[in-house]
Each structure stands twice: as C-alpha cells, then as structure tokens.
Amino acid sequence: MAPYTVRWGIIATGGISKQFAKDLLVDPSSRDVSDVKHEIVAVGSRSVESAQSFIDHLKSAKPEDSWSWGVQNGLLDGVKAYGDYHGVYNDPSVDAVYIGTPHNLHHRNAKDALLAGKPVLCEKPFTMDVEELDELISIAKEKNLFLMEAVWTRFHPIAYAVQKVLDSGRLGRPKRFAADFSGDAKLDATGDRMIDPELAGGALLDMGPYPSVWAMLTLHHDKHNKDKDPKVITSHQTIYKRTGVDANSRWVVQWDGLCQAALLTDLENSGLKEATAVVQCEEGDLCIEYPPWRPETFHLVPRPTHHVGSIKEKETHQVPCHPGNNGMSYEADEVARCLRDGKIQSDRMPWDESRIVQGWFDVVRKNGDSVLKDYKGQAGQ
Ligand SMILES: NC(=O)c1ccc[n+]([C@@H]2O[C@H](COP(=O)([O-])OP(=O)(O)OC[C@H]3O[C@@H](n4cnc5c(N)ncnc54)[C@H](OP(=O)(O)O)[C@@H]3O)[C@@H](O)[C@H]2O)c1
C-alpha cells in the first residue's frame, strides 16, 4: 500500500522550524518507516522574504545533507511562501500545521489554525497556562481535529528502550527520581528570547519540558503508579535580575504511593553528563546521559552502599536516533499515523499528560517571583 502522506504547513522560520522542516525531508526508509511520508507545501512567516529564504535554504541542500533526499524527490515542489500565518491556515493544500513560534504565541497560533480547520502540532511548552491549553483541547474536540504538543523526545528510540527496561521488572519499583536540564547560557552576554520576558523567556518554560518528559515517561508510566494527578509539592526559582525571568527553577513532584521526583532546569550552570535523568529503583539505578532532549545512552548502575540490588555490574545501552535525522521525524510520523487513523490525539503524547506538565509550570511560576509570576494566558481572547 502507498504510504499515507501529510502535506505540512510550517509556521515561523526560526531555529526549530528549520530543524523540523529538514527532518520532514529525510528519507523515511532511513528510519525504517514505510507507512507514512511527508511533504512541505506552505511556509508562513511574518515576512514573505523570510518564508522564501527558509524555502531557498531547504532547496539549497548539498548532496551530503540528509534532507537533500526530499528536495530531489519532489517533497518541496510547489511549496508556497506566505508573508503571514493565516495564509498557511487557509491554504486548502495544507493537511497539518507545525507551530514553531515563541511560547507565548503558541495558543494564539494553534487556536487560529484549529479554527481554520487544520490539525496542529505545536512546539513545547504547549501554552502559557492550563486555561489556554484547555481552550485548545476543547476546540480540537469540537472540530474533531488532531492536536499534539511537539515533545519529540517521547518518540525517540531511547525513550521506548528505557521504558522497556523499567517495564521488564528487572529494576523493581522506582524509589526516587531526579532530572536536570541545565546549560551555561552566559546570560550577561545574550539578549535572545531565552531571557526576554516579552517572549516568555526563562529556564522553566523553555527547558523545563525536558526533565519533565523523563519523569512522565518513567514514573507516570510505571506499572506501579496509580496517581494520575501528580502534584508539585515544593518549588523555587532564582531570578535573573537584568530581565526578571527565572535563571533556574527547581520543583519536586509527588506521585502518591510511588515516589518523588526532583526536577531542575538552570540557564547558568552546565548539566550533568552521565546523569541528566536518574531513576533509582529497588535493584539499581537507571541513569540517562545528557542531553535530555535527545539522549543516546543510558546505564544501569549498581548501588554504592551495602544495600546492593540485583544489578551487580554497570551496563551501558546505546540507542541513538537514526543517522541523518535531527530526531524530529518520529513525532511527525506519529502525527501522520494519527491523521491516517482518524485520531484527534496521540496515545503516546496525550492531552492529559501535556496538561499535567503545564499544570506544574503554572504552580512553579506562581510560587516564584519572576516577571511571569502573574502572567495570565489569553484563553477566551
Ligand atoms: N523541540 C525542541 O527541541 C525545541 C528546540 C528549540 C525551541 N523549541 C521551541 O520552539 C519555539 C521556537 O523556538 P526557536 O528556538 O525556534 O525560536 P526562534 O529561533 O527565535 O524562532 C521563533 C520564530 O517565531 C517567529 N515569531 C513570531 N513572532 C515573533 C516575535 N514577536 N519575536 C520573535 N519571533 C517571532 C519568527 O518567525 P517569523 O519571523 O518567520 O514569523 C521567529 O523566527 C519555542 O517555543 C521553543 O520552546 C523547541
């Protein structure tokens, strides 16, 4: 049977949209996929010049670039450049819209796309608060349209491999969890969106989705977990004084009857190479190596004390993404399969799990003292 094809419209021409667009153009067979494929039919930007230069950049792929396969095989043929986003939402040739704008525009852009009748894949963090997210979910339900947060890491081969080890029962019950996404961004020397309050900058919203994704994949999905509404029990933010956003955020989540997770994100210090996320279990520890957004290696590590579990020797598992792939093709394949199967949400990245993480961010933000503390999202507007 011919593969199911999704014709994508891309919203915004920034860094992550470029990565995503390139991954749409990589040969699906290079990641062992034959049931779905992707085309790019429209690019929307605040300026038509930027949309056109985005397209020109894609088309200028050199033979050694992995996305040149898509250019050579016509996946960009006929792509249109729009000088606004509505052109893409209203283009009848667009099957699904990808949104790669700054955080505080996600709700507006996703809402406009849904109201125009388009399925949506929206970058993380999904929205600015749970109210905004609930509004998007209710529009998606009402219009019977697919909607998903683009938490690409969920779809990486290593995410399934880590869960397989935990599901096997070899490590026993999780007892404790910690995860960190940090990087020294040299804040005093930068003016970019990461620290711009006008673009909802700060560590929490930008980087917080990554420690969260590992907590969700390991603890929330653990077979021993019965708590479907894990809550933040304490949090702290350190404020970057020049712009008032959070330079770091720490929060502890409780899964009642299972364990606690300590989550950290920091724009002023480097992360931990061998332990970006650690699930400590009865029989040993599962340690995932940096970077949390696209790790390739995890270890099973014996206990250091006399209470040794059944893991006696360190074991290393390497599970990279397929070569030539930035790691974003997998989430696009998920969207394609959901559209093909008539689903409006993904089983792998369901709305209620986006809501849980969005809810943590709301609590941490409100407990803190950043300029976004009292930020009210635009639900209803
Ligand atoms: N999944 C991931 O790994 C990942 C990685 C990085 C970022 N992200 C997420 O993706 C989103 C975009 O991040 P990015 O790094 O791609 O940002 P970026 O490079 O700054 O690009 C953002 C784009 O949004 C558009 N935009 C619309 N209104 C804007 C405004 N007022 N100011 C600035 N840009 C505006 C611009 O495109 P036009 O001018 O073409 O309209 C701009 O190029 C963020 O929400 C971020 O959290 C995800």
Side-chain angles (χ1 to χ4, degrees):
M1 203 165 42
Y4 180 87
T5 304
V6 177
R7 297 169 301 169
W8 288 91
I10 308 286
I11 294 300
T13 56
I16 203 63
S17 293
K18 272 195 195 83
Q19 300 297 318
F20 181 76
K22 287 174 183 173
D23 272 8
L24 292 177
L25 302 176
V26 173
D27 181 357
S29 72
S30 68
R31 56 183 183 278
D32 303 324
V33 167
S34 57
D35 59 330
V36 293
K37 71 184 195 34
H38 309 278
E39 291 175 12
I40 302 175
V41 294
V43 175
S45 169
R46 292 170 299 171
S47 91
V48 73
E49 292 78 16
S50 179
Q52 191 55 54
S53 105
F54 183 96
I55 293 167
D56 293 344
H57 171 70
L58 293 175
K59 285 187 172 168
S60 71
K62 300 186 184 67
E64 63 270 26
D65 292 326
S66 53
W67 78 94
S68 65
W69 182 88
V71 182
Q72 284 154 14
N73 283 276
L75 305 191
L76 269 178
D77 288 0
V79 60
K80 289 185 249 64
Y82 288 99
D84 63 17
Y85 300 158
H86 282 270
V88 175
Y89 308 147
N90 294 323
D91 184 330
S93 65
V94 170
D95 297 323
V97 167
Y98 167 82
I99 291 170
T101 51
H103 323 324
N104 50 350
L105 300 175
H106 291 175
H107 167 263
R108 173 80 267 153
N109 302 149
K111 182 173 170 179
D112 286 346
L114 290 167
L115 289 175
K118 299 298 189 209
V120 168
L121 173 65
C122 179
E123 266 309 332
K124 43 53 61 177
F126 216 153
T127 52
M128 286 299 291
D129 58 24
V130 169
E131 287 74 20
E132 285 190 345
L133 177 51
D134 282 346
E135 186 178 40
L136 296 183
I137 292 170
S138 95
I139 297 170
K141 280 185 188 161
E142 194 184 304
K143 294 183 126 336
N144 198 32
L145 287 169
F146 181 82
L147 172 69
M148 186 177 99
E149 184 181 11
V151 186
W152 57 322
T153 313
R154 281 199 178 229
F155 301 94
H156 289 175
I158 193 170
Y160 295 97
V162 162
Q163 288 183 297
K164 195 168 165 196
V165 170
L166 292 170
D167 288 350
S168 74
R170 260 186 88 192
L171 293 177
R173 277 175 86 93
K175 303 272 288 176
R176 197 162 72 148
F177 176 98
D180 170 29
F181 177 13
S182 299
D184 186 355
K186 309 286 179 218
L187 296 186
D188 293 343
T190 182
D192 79 5
R193 69 164 180 80
M194 297 281 282
I195 53 162
D196 184 347
E198 295 299 314
L199 298 178
L204 177 70
L205 293 177
D206 205 274
M207 295 150 75
Y210 292 104
S212 306
V213 69
W214 289 107
M216 290 298 290
L217 285 173
T218 57
L219 301 184
H220 197 71
H221 282 250
D222 188 86
K223 62 185 171 205
H224 305 97
N225 175 40
K226 304 275 180 287
D227 184 357
K228 296 295 160 208
D229 188 18
K231 293 209 164 51
V232 172
I233 53 173
T234 185
S235 68
H236 174 79
Q237 293 190 300
T238 302
I239 306 308
Y240 178 60
K241 294 214 168 42
R242 181 162 66 98
T243 67
V245 302
D246 65 307
N248 65 56
S249 287
R250 299 156 200 266
W251 65 109
V252 176
V253 178
Q254 173 78 43
W255 270 268
D256 283 337
L258 189 71
C259 70
Q260 295 177 350
L263 306 179
L264 163 64
T265 176
D266 187 343
L267 282 163
E268 291 184 305
N269 289 287
S270 290
L272 298 166
K273 165 87 174 98
E274 293 205 337
T276 206
V278 177
V279 197
Q280 291 192 277
C281 301
E282 289 165 321
E283 305 297 337
D285 300 340
L286 188 153
C287 302
I288 301 168
E289 280 202 19
Y290 192 93
W293 64 89
R294 193 183 187 280
E296 299 198 331
T297 306
F298 70 94
H299 310 276
L300 304 188
V301 181
R303 282 276 138 67
T305 67
H306 58 284
H307 295 296
V308 183
S310 63
I311 303 294
K312 305 287 187 215
E313 306 233 329
K314 184 173 175 182
E315 255 178 50
T316 294
H317 297 246
Q318 268 172 323
V319 197
C321 290
H322 292 80
N325 180 323
N326 292 312
M328 308 189 89
S329 315
Y330 305 101
E331 63 180 0
D333 293 341
E334 171 72 0
V335 176
R337 292 185 183 118
C338 288
L339 293 180
R340 177 194 65 193
D341 298 343
K343 292 182 175 176
I344 62 170
Q345 65 173 315
S346 156
D347 297 333
R348 182 76 183 161
M349 179 68 266
W351 296 332
D352 62 349
E353 295 192 23
S354 286
R355 278 191 92 255
I356 287 169
V357 174
Q358 195 76 51
W360 298 345
F361 295 163
D362 285 3
V363 172
V364 177
R365 193 162 47 80
K366 282 173 187 146
N367 285 349
D369 210 13
S370 80
V371 285
L372 297 178
K373 177 184 175 68
D374 297 318
Y375 185 95
K376 178 77 193 80
Q378 324 233 308
Q381 293 172 40

